Amino acid sequence: HQRHLMLLQLPADIQQLVFKQPGLGPRELASLEATSRAVRALIDEDVWRQAFLQSCRHNALGHPSSFKVEFKRRSTWSRRWKTLPDCAPGTVGASAPLPLQAAARLCSVRAPQKLRRFALKVIASLPQAHPPKAEVLVVDGSGREPGSFPTISAALRCAKPYDRVLIRSGRYEERLAIDKPVELVGEDPAGSVVLVGVNGPAVEASSRIPCRVAKLTIQQQSRHAAPAMSGAVIAKGGATLVLEECVVSSQTGHCVVVQGLSTNAYVLHNHISRGKGVGVLVCDYGKGVVEDNEISHNGRAGVAILSCADPQVRSNKIHAGLDSGVLVSEKGRGRVEANDIFANRRAGVAILKDGEPLVLSNRIHDGRDSGVLVCENGQGLVKDNEIFANQMAGIAIGRGGASRVTGNTIRDSNGGSLCLSMHSRGVISANVIQLDDRATMQVPEDILPGVRQQNTLLFTAPDGAAAPAAASPTPTPDSEPDPDASCELRQALVNFPPPVEVGLEDILMDEEPDYIEL
């Protein structure tokens, strides 16, 4: 108490210097704020910002409204990994009492409101066992710290359920198989702990357990000429993985793979880049949350949702990939919301082969192909997005495409705002579509009146001013390309190779993909 009084008696500039010391992190600031209201008033947003950035990765889409609130939110996730549903003994999951499992399922599906309230009451009334107190096991590859383990694998073998493995700075060439509920955390500063998986995944969770991996630089490398297809981080077999504030890359395959029924992954605040394959692949009924990551410079799609997978992909920066920004295919579902998707070689969002996502409130721009491509019976809802400055059509719906496109702003695309096939089955309504005499819409004549009637069309004058279009351009055989041929060209550019006689791995990982320079 006397120290706090002394702190309050210091000049204001000295107080700020004290609060901004490099060793004073967010947890220490929270402890100081708890001492008195006077101290709390002295710790402003600038102090919180500096402390936050010392120990946490910056948000992918810019500054949070409050660094203090953001730290509290991330800390909550870091603690909740032990009690995530459907995995941990004593929690809502496979080892829980049967009525509790039923209540959890009712809360997770689209049940009636009364039924959901009843399920929540059941959860609150039944006793739940809490995980035992965790111990901290220290890994120090240099061997300088007494009582430490030389490798992460050795620490995992000795760890008890819910223990924390704290990894000191260094480079560790290991392949970790996590088969118990533990957390692996690298020490600060960021990037000082490097985990390299050679000829296979660096981290693999394949049991029905929760686990957490945080603050590591994870790399996948190979010393074989033709390595087997895998990922740097893999969750499968019903595992629940929390991957936080890591840097993930792969020279031989995908960066992060979430695969299988009942498998959940929470991929939060990571930098996922330079994968030979997909940045984040969710497939085979996998679920989870992919939030606030920077996903860039991958050889295939930034995020791929395949084979009935159903994740939430939100608030990510997905850019500079050699394929689509987000691919939804093979009956994939999911919610793709509030992402910044730009500068990808193929479509910003591609919906193919019975994919049915909700694509909501994204910025899809500056791509080298179409903003949104829908074909091969792609479905779903594309709503309230800002789609602009793409080198081909803002939205292209090819043969068999059946998405509902509504409430979007579509402008400034070199290939025109819309490219619709005469065989498409999509619904285009309530959009604001900006027309440019340099890049007209490619819409069949029998569809054009409906497009004009159900959307707001603006014509861009030579001086850049937008005004309601007096008349929409009518395509003619001599002046306009055939819509089907045009959309098929876009499909060839944006889509993976045709599915006939080609397996999933071949589609995702052609050794020499045929890219067409635009």
Side-chain angles (χ1 to χ4, degrees):
H1 181 69
Q2 290 180 350
R3 292 179 180 177
H4 298 153
L5 290 177
M6 293 174 60
L7 179 62
L8 294 174
Q9 293 171 359
L10 293 173
D13 55 341
I14 303 299
Q15 291 173 349
Q16 290 297 309
L17 288 176
V18 172
F19 292 138
K20 292 183 178 180
Q21 292 182 85
L24 202 62
R27 298 187 185 279
E28 289 77 16
L29 287 182
S31 299
L32 282 173
E33 284 193 345
T35 59
S36 69
R37 294 181 180 178
V39 174
R40 189 180 308 123
L42 294 174
I43 302 177
D44 58 15
E45 183 65 16
D46 189 49
V47 174
W48 269 105
R49 176 184 180 277
Q50 177 170 315
F52 178 89
L53 295 178
Q54 285 180 10
S55 59
C56 303
R57 289 189 62 85
H58 197 286
N59 291 53
L61 298 183
H63 293 307
S65 57
S66 169
F67 284 96
K68 178 180 177 180
V69 173
E70 178 67 12
F71 174 73
K72 182 178 180 181
R73 188 175 74 91
R74 295 195 189 187
S75 299
T76 301
W77 266 109
S78 301
R79 294 192 302 269
R80 281 180 56 194
W81 73 270
K82 300 177 183 179
T83 54
L84 287 170
D86 295 328
C87 41
T91 64
V92 183
S95 301
L98 191 60
L100 196 56
Q101 294 185 47
R105 287 195 295 270
L106 290 174
C107 290
S108 62
V109 301
R110 297 176 179 176
Q113 188 70 21
K114 291 183 179 180
L115 205 55
R116 288 161 53 138
R117 285 201 298 266
F118 169 75
L120 292 173
K121 289 180 180 179
V122 171
I123 293 175
S125 62
L126 291 177
Q128 298 186 38
H130 294 283
K133 186 176 180 181
E135 297 182 2
V136 177
L137 287 70
V138 178
V139 177
D140 185 2
S142 66
R144 291 191 294 266
E145 184 167 345
S148 64
F149 292 86
T151 65
I152 306 173
S153 300
L156 281 175
R157 286 193 294 270
C158 296
K160 299 186 295 296
Y162 306 107
D163 280 353
R164 167 180 284 203
V165 177
L166 179 62
I167 308 169
R168 302 296 189 199
S169 299
R171 178 183 174 90
Y172 301 85
E173 288 196 8
E174 303 183 52
R175 291 175 55 183
L176 306 178
I178 302 178
D179 57 359
K180 62 185 75 172
V182 295
E183 60 177 331
L184 309 178
V185 182
E187 72 169 357
D188 292 331
S192 61
V193 180
V194 180
L195 172 62
V196 182
V198 179
N199 299 330
V203 176
E204 182 173 352
S206 57
S207 303
R208 292 184 62 86
I209 48 92
C211 56
R212 175 175 178 254
V213 179
K215 298 188 176 182
L216 303 179
T217 296
I218 302 173
Q219 302 173 356
Q220 184 184 31
Q221 300 178 2
S222 175
R223 298 194 176 106
H224 293 162
M229 182 66 188
S230 65
V233 178
I234 297 179
K236 62 182 183 179
T240 296
L241 170 67
V242 178
L243 182 69
E244 287 186 284
E245 304 201 30
C246 292
V247 177
V248 187
S249 63
S250 174
Q251 295 180 359
T252 61
H254 311 307
C255 292
V256 180
V257 178
V258 184
Q259 181 181 22
L261 188 66
S262 301
T263 302
N264 288 272
Y266 299 85
V267 184
L268 313 170
H269 322 300
N270 303 283
H271 188 183
I272 300 170
S273 67
R274 305 196 181 281
K276 184 177 180 181
V278 176
V280 179
L281 170 62
V282 189
C283 60
D284 299 334
Y285 296 90
K287 295 184 179 181
V289 177
V290 181
E291 180 177 332
D292 189 37
N293 304 280
E294 182 166 357
I295 303 172
S296 67
H297 297 92
N298 293 290
R300 288 297 188 184
V303 177
I305 304 172
L306 308 178
S307 305
C308 302
D310 190 11
Q312 297 184 41
V313 181
R314 60 193 184 215
S315 302
N316 302 282
K317 182 187 288 186
I318 306 172
H319 65 101
L322 296 181
D323 212 288
S324 300
V326 178
L327 169 71
V328 186
S329 185
E330 299 173 12
K331 298 184 180 180
R333 296 176 64 86
R335 185 183 182 99
V336 181
E337 183 176 8
N339 302 281
D340 191 11
I341 305 170
F342 63 97
N344 296 286
R345 175 171 284 188
R346 297 185 179 178
V349 176
I351 306 173
L352 317 173
K353 303 176 191 173
D354 297 295
E356 193 175 355
L358 170 60
V359 181
L360 178 66
S361 302
N362 302 279
R363 297 178 76 246
I364 305 170
H365 60 100
D366 291 289
R368 296 178 62 183
D369 206 277
S370 300
V372 177
L373 172 76
V374 187
C375 59
E376 295 183 348
N377 204 35
Q379 302 175 50
L381 174 64
V382 180
K383 182 178 180 182
D384 296 340
N385 302 279
E386 187 177 2
I387 304 169
F388 63 97
N390 296 286
Q391 291 192 14
M392 289 194 176
I395 291 181
I397 302 182
R399 185 184 299 270
S403 288
R404 181 183 175 191
V405 180
T406 182
N408 304 280
T409 299
I410 310 168
R411 59 182 173 85
D412 300 336
S413 293
N414 292 341
S417 300
L418 293 177
C419 173
L420 304 182
S421 165
M422 62 182 300
H423 301 290
S424 65
R425 296 177 286 116
V427 176
I428 312 294
S429 65
N431 301 282
V432 177
I433 302 174
Q434 182 173 311
L435 304 176
D436 194 318
D437 57 358
R438 296 169 299 177
T440 58
M441 292 193 302
Q442 300 175 41
V443 180
E445 291 186 22
D446 57 339
I447 302 176
L448 183 59
V451 171
R452 293 187 58 190
Q453 183 178 5
Q454 298 178 28
N455 299 272
T456 300
L457 274 59
L458 302 177
F459 181 78
T460 304
D463 60 359
S472 295
T474 301
T476 63
D478 296 331
S479 61
E480 295 292 344
D482 178 67
D484 275 338
S486 179
C487 288
E488 288 172 1
L489 171 61
R490 283 154 178 79
Q491 175 181 340
L493 290 171
V494 182
N495 192 12
F496 286 128
V500 181
E501 300 181 0
V502 181
L504 174 61
E505 292 185 3
D506 298 322
I507 291 175
L508 295 175
M509 286 297 300
D510 287 341
E511 288 297 323
E512 296 294 338
D514 295 326
Y515 293 116
I516 300 177
E517 294 292 335
L518 305 182

